[in-house]
Amino acid sequence: MPVVLREARATLVPDMAGPHGPLPPVMLALTVVTGLVDAFSYLLLGHVFVANMTGNVIFMGFAFAGASGFSLLASVVALVSFAAGALLGGRAVHRVRAHRGRQLQHALLVETAFVTAAMIVAFVSGQPYTGAVRFTLIALLALGLGVQNAAARALAVPDLKTTVLTLTITGIVADSRLAKGRGSRVGRRGLAAVAMLAGAYAGALAVLNGSPRLPLVLAVAVLAAASTAATLLARDDAPWTRPPVTA
């Protein structure tokens, strides 16, 4: 079996006795959530991301320069809410830092609550999403994705950060044999890119075809499944549940 396929299979169907146990496929599912919610926010909430804070900082620069179509306030609300979510996520995972399964469970329950609240707001509000409704949706979604990012940081599964791909794509090329590296791990890293692409594609397709709330419905469904899995994993006591050793 080619190396790329072996890496992909080991990510989708991981070795339960390995250092990260069942975490890789869960992190891929959360990467799909990132694509879904950012498609919703960018296309319906006015050129703002709720997961990609690098993009929002750049949008703030565009807004400062007077470029049309970018809202400084929307980017600030997303950034502040994401930071608040990261704080909540950090507190959630640090309370149970000795067990990664419980870290995942606690963070996902909080994230699912925020994204579900955003879905409810989207359903009870008419379109287009403007004014207080728009900023409420931005805040709720950014809070949820801030929690997710804090959890991904604490769990420290290599190449599966769930909300960013810049370093992942850099690693594919910079670590390749062509660059005299030790190996690009393209099977694993490529899956992360595909997962985000799939989420963004599904979210955009839904919005562009008259189902604007569907990305949030799908995100909640994925999060509910991941939360259920995390609740089961919280009972495990395998080696992967222990905090990773850092240098």
Side-chain angles (χ1 to χ4, degrees), residues 3 76 85 97 105 117 120 131 153 158 166 173 220:
V3 173
V76 169
R97 67 178 75 222
Q105 178 196 31
I120 293 170
R153 179 179 175 83
T166 303
V173 180
V220 169

Side-chain angles (χ1 to χ4, degrees), residues 19-20 23 97 100 103 153-158 239-247:
H20 303 290
L23 292 177
R97 67 178 75 222
R100 295 163 87 198
Q103 287 183 316
R153 179 179 175 83
L155 294 170
V157 181
W240 69 266
T241 63
R242 302 179 192 114
V245 177
T246 56

Side-chain angles (χ1 to χ4, degrees), residues 2-12 28 158-160 165 167-178 181-195:
V3 173
V4 172
L5 293 181
R6 284 203 305 269
E7 291 171 345
R9 184 179 186 282
T11 303
L12 292 169
L28 282 176
D159 304 316
L160 299 175
L165 288 178
L167 290 177
T168 301
I169 294 171
T170 300
I172 290 175
V173 180
D175 295 340
S176 67
R177 300 298 184 188
L178 186 63
R182 294 183 176 181
S184 64
R185 298 202 297 274
V186 68
R188 185 185 189 87
R189 290 166 169 167
L191 275 178
V194 168

Side-chain angles (χ1 to χ4, degrees), residues 1-194:
M1 184 183 294
V3 173
V4 172
L5 293 181
R6 284 203 305 269
E7 291 171 345
R9 184 179 186 282
T11 303
L12 292 169
V13 188
D15 178 6
M16 296 298 287
H20 303 290
L23 292 177
V26 178
M27 306 311 281
L28 282 176
L30 297 182
T31 306
V32 173
V33 170
T34 294
L36 287 166
V37 297
D38 263 347
F40 177 88
S41 67
Y42 189 86
L43 295 174
L44 292 174
L45 302 181
H47 292 179
V48 63
F49 289 122
V50 292
N52 182 0
M53 292 303 111
T54 301
N56 284 329
V57 172
I58 292 172
F59 292 163
M60 288 169 67
F62 293 167
F64 275 125
S68 61
F70 297 94
S71 166
L72 177 61
L73 181 56
S75 293
V76 169
V77 168
L79 192 61
V80 171
S81 299
F82 185 91
L87 176 62
L88 288 173
R91 289 180 65 88
V93 298
H94 291 151
R95 287 177 184 273
V96 286
R97 67 178 75 222
H99 195 291
R100 295 163 87 198
R102 295 191 190 107
Q103 287 183 316
L104 179 65
Q105 178 196 31
H106 289 199
L108 281 182
L109 290 175
V110 176
E111 179 183 1
T112 302
F114 281 125
V115 178
T116 300
M119 181 187 70
I120 293 170
V121 170
F123 269 101
V124 301
S125 303
Q127 282 190 277
Y129 303 122
T130 58
V133 170
R134 176 193 181 199
F135 289 111
T136 298
L137 287 169
I138 291 172
L140 287 171
L141 291 172
L143 279 162
L145 272 293
V147 173
Q148 176 178 306
N149 213 51
R153 179 179 175 83
L155 294 170
V157 181
D159 304 316
L160 299 175
K161 306 303 182 186
T162 78
T163 60
V164 291
L165 288 178
T166 303
L167 290 177
T168 301
I169 294 171
T170 300
I172 290 175
V173 180
D175 295 340
S176 67
R177 300 298 184 188
L178 186 63
K180 307 299 182 184
R182 294 183 176 181
S184 64
R185 298 202 297 274
V186 68
R188 185 185 189 87
R189 290 166 169 167
L191 275 178
V194 168

